[in-house]
Amino acid sequence: MKLQDKVAVITGGASGIGAATARLFVQEGAKVVLVDLNEEKGKAFEAELKAQNADALFVKANITSEEEVQNIFKETIATFGKVDVVFNNAGIGRVTPTENLEYAEWRNTVNVDLDGVFLVAREAIREMLKSGGGTIVNTASMYGWVGSPGSAAYNAAKGGVINLTRSLALEYATRNIRVNALAPGFIDTPIIPEESKEVLKTMTPMQRLGESEEMAKAVLFMASDDSSFMTGNVLTVDGGYTAQ
Ligand SMILES: NC(=O)c1ccc[n+]([C@@H]2O[C@H](COP(=O)([O-])OP(=O)(O)OC[C@H]3O[C@@H](n4cnc5c(N)ncnc54)[C@H](O)[C@@H]3O)[C@@H](O)[C@H]2O)c1
């Protein structure tokens, strides 16, 4: 098992890529802390994992709140005593032509997708410095590498996550904290509107959407010792989209 007795905090853990990763981490021996805004889904998922004898804790938090992010780590330490892995994954995205993009929507997207990632990473680093190290995996996007019409705020924030990942990796490289990022392509999760799915398939060289489980395997690689000499890297898992 690749994460035996490790404690993993997963933001956006109630749905999609975060939930699939939580399932895989549990199979690999981890204790998981599911962090999400969505209390109903989060609690139901916590109950499901506990029914399978997994160690799981749901913590409701908005990653844009400094206080709530600090509370995630307090609760984690109180329950499991340490933090080894942080999958910094919660995010939002929506398509709005830039001429119609209200400043409030821009701010909200950047607030969740970039500021929130910073706040979670900072608290993770504070804990990992105390305990002697750990691994952080940030969720960026292939849209952090390339542009796309109607996603200015999202693309700017995800591009920010990629370079934030590199900066943190360099800053903590000698202190046993590895920081990498996942850049997914179009993945079949609730973030993608049903009516967009067919066109997104045709935009993808492999002519299908990715599955959350396929993201989870890449996250496990970056979170575990399998990637022990890798830091500041971005693993792009996109069915070939950015090879075009
Ligand atoms: N699905 C895709 O095609 C795709 C592609 C590239 C990147 N991503 C990224 O993957 C990550 C996970 O997305 P997903 O596809 O699993 O979508 P999802 O909507 O299924 O999951 C995201 C989860 O994050 C939670 N969340 C949103 N804002 C939050 C906040 N402020 N605080 C706490 N929790 C919050 C939501 O409640 C939800 O449960 C996101 O960062 C997204 O940008 C997704």
Side-chain angles (χ1 to χ4, degrees):
M1 291 216 258
K2 294 182 191 291
L3 294 177
Q4 187 67 53
D5 298 325
K6 300 284 187 193
V7 177
V9 172
I10 301 172
T11 70
S15 179
I17 297 169
T21 301
R23 283 182 212 284
L24 183 60
F25 278 14
V26 161
Q27 282 171 31
E28 293 292 335
K31 300 171 184 180
V32 291
V33 179
L34 312 165
V35 177
D36 212 286
L37 262 185
N38 189 326
E39 190 163 24
E40 203 185 320
K41 267 175 111 173
K43 281 198 159 161
F45 189 36
E46 177 198 52
E48 183 195 318
L49 291 177
K50 279 184 165 169
Q52 298 161 16
N53 283 327
D55 286 304
L57 170 73
F58 171 67
V59 179
K60 184 181 182 208
N62 187 332
I63 59 159
T64 65
S65 157
E66 205 170 352
E67 203 183 324
E68 291 180 30
V69 169
Q70 282 165 349
N71 186 53
I72 298 168
F73 289 87
K74 272 191 209 131
E75 294 272 330
T76 301
I77 301 298
T79 307
F80 295 130
K82 59 173 185 164
V83 180
D84 300 295
V85 173
V86 172
F87 183 31
N88 197 356
N89 163 76
I92 54 171
R94 127 153 91 115
V95 175
T96 307
T98 300
E99 71 270 24
N100 301 331
L101 181 62
E102 299 293 340
Y103 183 49
E105 186 184 332
W106 165 279
R107 282 280 349 129
N108 187 43
T109 303
V110 175
N111 197 20
V112 177
D113 290 347
L114 183 56
D115 298 18
V117 170
F118 156 69
L119 288 174
V120 171
R122 187 188 63 179
E123 258 9 85
I125 287 164
R126 286 174 173 168
E127 281 310 323
M128 289 172 182
L129 285 174
K130 282 189 235 162
S131 66
T135 57
I136 298 173
V137 180
N138 298 322
T139 301
S141 169
M142 66 180 180
Y143 279 171
W145 290 127
V146 296
S148 63
S151 297
Y154 183 83
N155 295 357
K158 293 296 189 178
V161 171
I162 288 177
N163 222 20
L164 172 66
T165 300
R166 296 192 186 111
S167 283
L168 298 179
L170 294 176
E171 198 170 344
Y172 297 100
T174 58
R175 282 177 277 180
N176 201 31
I177 302 174
R178 294 189 298 108
V179 189
N180 292 290
L182 175 74
F186 301 124
I187 312 304
D188 193 358
T189 75
I191 213 173
I192 293 199
E194 208 52 52
E195 62 275 15
S196 307
K197 287 186 178 170
E198 279 313 309
V199 68
L200 298 181
K201 280 182 198 172
T202 65
M203 288 165 70
T204 303
M206 289 176 77
Q207 297 292 300
R208 67 172 178 89
L209 300 180
E211 297 296 334
S212 293
E213 291 71 20
E214 294 176 295
M215 300 303 105
K217 289 176 193 167
V219 179
L220 175 64
F221 173 68
M222 290 186 279
S224 69
D225 286 345
D226 277 359
S227 60
S228 50
F229 196 49
M230 177 171 147
T231 197
N233 199 45
V234 186
L235 203 46
T236 303
V237 189
D238 66 356
Y241 187 97
T242 50
Q244 296 176 106

